[in-house]
Amino acid sequence: MSSAENPRAIQRKVVVAACFGTFLEWYDFLTFASLATYFSVLFFPGDDPVAALLASLGTFGVGMIVRPLGAAFFGSLGDRHGRRTIFMATIVLMGLSTFCVGLLPSYAQVGLLAPALLLLLRILQGFSVGGEIGGAAVYLTEHAPEGKRGLYTSVLQLMGPLGMMASTLQIVALQYALSDADFKSWGWRIPFLLSALLLAISIKSRLNLYESPVFKQLREKNALAKTPLRECFRDRHTLGRMALLFFCVSAGGSLLFFSAQVYTGVFLKTVVKLPATYASSLVTVATVALFPATLFCGWLSDRIGRRPVLLAGLIGGAVSIVPVFRGLLHYGSLPTPDTAMIVVLLLVLVVPLACITGPQTATLPELFPARTRYSAVALPHNLSAGWIGGMSPLMVTWLGVTFSDPLAGLWYPTGLLILASIIGVIFLPEVRNRALEE
């Protein structure tokens, strides 16, 4: 890697390497979500289907809960030793743990050892994602050209839905190609085993990563933080911004992502009772629409500011979730499901989600000083995404069962989005033109 290389060429390599790695992270992490209804049968006792589904979603949620541990560990390393350094470790840990999921025995074969092993691998997945998500936002933003950070970094937000779409399309193709018995017996393993090939490609791509210019300046000035997390908690301004990230920006983005991209598939399959392949195909249409919408909102935030776009997403999500899912239940339960209306309703959720995902990557690093930026971003972002957003499918399902109303649980994300909107209106600053070297 020559230091004399064209800056635009360097930026392109950074985007490709960082984004492909993040794609693999999310492909691995969300393949489990796509197969949650199958895992409830494969890895848990089958005498109570509802309890098995809750256990499966709970195992997914555990992977989200441990994300902050990975964020604290890898975030501290990123502030002390470089943004680039930790990316190889996180991708290898994710790839290997996901590959091993494809080798697991089922509950019918080994009993309770099966869910125990699955839980362990989910914990390792969550730990690696905690190091990746947040850190990648810092890395890309610190490479981004001024005045175009929103658009430039919004590409990273596409990797979540792109990884999920790749996983979903692969599962749909396998379900079409295999009998139901073959898919349940061995076909479900293929997406996990394929991660070995994706891991090899990602490692090769990440070898081309360049260190962040902001971090290099800090290192040259001997201004690196020795204890980044401690500095974050001691500085009241940074701590306040971390709280803002936790309760507002990251909470809103994660709640909307899991409501619009994860739970919609579970809801259509288990509550509306649509065929699995049909439901997955409908969710994929909404995922495809999210790509241009995210780029547009990133671009828009470069023009009018991060604050108005983010607030539009928070408020829009708060008012749309319950009506959208009520409509999905109505139009999906007709004697002949109304495909057009279901797609329209799914697209309604895409709009507020894009308003969050578009400017979010740039906003996270812009909120914090360079010296402790990685830790300040990674910890609250993963706490929020893991504990609030990651648990939302489980909470929504559990509340629906508790109140015997499949829509009752949707007040969990709705209520939290209302809170995030209020906090955002009062405290969210405009950070669009902030110098990242500060």
Side-chain angles (χ1 to χ4, degrees):
M1 295 182 295
S2 171
S3 60
E5 190 170 351
N6 186 293
R8 289 189 178 181
I10 293 176
Q11 289 172 351
R12 284 195 296 270
K13 287 184 178 181
V14 166
V15 170
V16 171
C19 286
F20 189 86
T22 302
F23 162 79
L24 176 56
E25 294 273 6
W26 280 107
Y27 167 88
D28 290 349
F29 204 67
L30 292 173
T31 293
F32 185 98
S34 300
L35 291 172
T37 54
Y38 290 93
F39 278 19
S40 66
V41 176
L42 288 166
F43 291 100
F44 299 93
D47 52 342
D48 187 341
V50 174
L53 177 60
L54 287 172
S56 180
L57 290 173
T59 304
F60 174 79
V62 167
M64 302 299 293
I65 288 174
V66 301
R67 277 177 57 170
L69 298 178
F73 177 75
F74 290 113
S76 181
L77 290 178
D79 279 324
R80 288 183 293 162
H81 303 294
R83 320 317 195 194
R84 176 181 182 270
T85 307
I86 61 124
F87 283 161
M88 292 300 295
T90 57
I91 202 67
V92 169
L93 182 59
M94 169 59 79
L96 290 180
S97 59
T98 301
F99 177 77
C100 289
V101 171
L103 302 176
L104 285 179
S106 67
Y107 180 84
Q109 294 171 314
V110 297
L112 292 177
L113 180 61
L117 290 173
L118 180 65
L119 180 62
L120 174 62
L121 293 175
R122 289 297 297 163
I123 289 173
L124 293 177
Q125 284 183 320
F127 193 77
S128 64
V129 168
E132 173 79 19
I133 307 302
V138 170
Y139 183 75
L140 264 189
T141 303
E142 290 182 344
H143 274 282
E146 292 187 15
K148 297 181 180 179
R149 289 178 197 154
L151 176 60
Y152 181 90
T153 62
S154 65
V155 177
L156 187 67
Q157 292 288 345
L158 302 181
M159 297 303 107
L162 184 61
M164 186 174 183
M165 185 177 71
S167 172
T168 301
L169 289 176
Q170 184 179 194
I171 291 169
V172 169
L174 287 169
Q175 289 171 332
Y176 275 120
L178 302 174
S179 66
D180 186 60
D182 284 340
F183 184 82
K184 291 179 179 178
S185 176
W186 56 268
W188 65 269
R189 300 180 184 272
I190 293 177
F192 296 99
L193 298 177
L194 183 62
S195 67
L197 174 61
L198 297 177
L199 173 61
I201 297 173
S202 184
I203 290 175
K204 183 178 184 301
S205 174
R206 290 200 167 194
L207 289 174
N208 294 322
L209 286 173
Y210 292 78
E211 185 53 84
S212 157
V214 174
F215 181 82
K216 288 193 292 186
Q217 288 183 24
L218 288 172
R219 184 167 52 194
E220 291 169 359
K221 296 177 181 178
N222 197 27
L224 298 176
K226 294 182 179 179
T227 54
L229 276 176
R230 184 178 298 177
E231 288 191 22
C232 289
F233 287 114
R234 284 180 174 176
D235 184 87
R236 299 185 66 177
H237 183 263
T238 298
L239 189 60
R241 291 285 179 89
M242 291 172 70
L244 177 67
L245 200 60
F246 177 83
F247 288 107
C248 181
V249 180
S250 296
S254 61
L255 285 165
L256 278 169
F257 181 79
F258 282 98
S259 296
Q261 293 290 300
V262 177
Y263 187 67
T264 47
V266 174
F267 184 83
L268 290 174
K269 295 171 189 176
T270 61
V271 177
V272 185
K273 305 296 184 182
L274 295 180
T277 53
Y278 177 52
S280 297
S281 299
L282 293 173
V283 175
T284 299
V285 173
T287 302
V288 172
L290 180 61
F291 296 162
T294 295
L295 294 174
F296 173 77
C297 289
W299 170 86
L300 186 63
S301 74
D302 286 329
R303 298 297 180 272
I304 67 174
R306 317 282 188 236
R307 175 182 162 86
V309 180
L310 288 168
L311 289 179
L314 293 171
I315 296 170
V319 301
S320 64
I321 288 179
V322 172
V324 163
F325 277 88
R326 190 179 301 277
L328 292 176
L329 181 59
H330 172 74
Y331 290 106
S333 300
L334 295 175
T336 301
D338 192 331
T339 300
M341 283 303 302
I342 293 174
V343 170
V344 169
L345 289 168
L346 292 174
L347 292 178
V348 168
L349 287 181
V350 166
V351 176
L353 176 58
C355 287
I356 301 292
T357 57
Q360 186 180 48
T361 302
T363 302
L364 268 56
E366 288 171 338
L367 283 169
F368 301 103
R371 181 180 169 89
T372 57
R373 180 172 291 144
Y374 200 127
S375 299
V377 167
L379 182 58
H381 180 68
N382 282 281
L383 277 170
S384 186
W387 292 8
I388 296 179
M391 293 303 294
S392 61
L394 174 63
M395 290 298 297
V396 168
T397 303
W398 177 76
L399 288 171
V401 172
T402 300
F403 291 97
S404 300
D405 180 358
L407 298 175
L410 294 168
W411 287 105
Y412 170 81
T414 298
L416 290 175
L417 280 168
I418 292 173
L419 176 63
S421 299
I422 294 171
I423 293 173
V425 168
I426 299 173
F427 296 109
L428 184 63
E430 180 54 68
V431 292
R432 172 179 41 154
N433 296 318
R434 183 184 174 189
L436 294 178
E437 294 76 13
E438 298 176 356

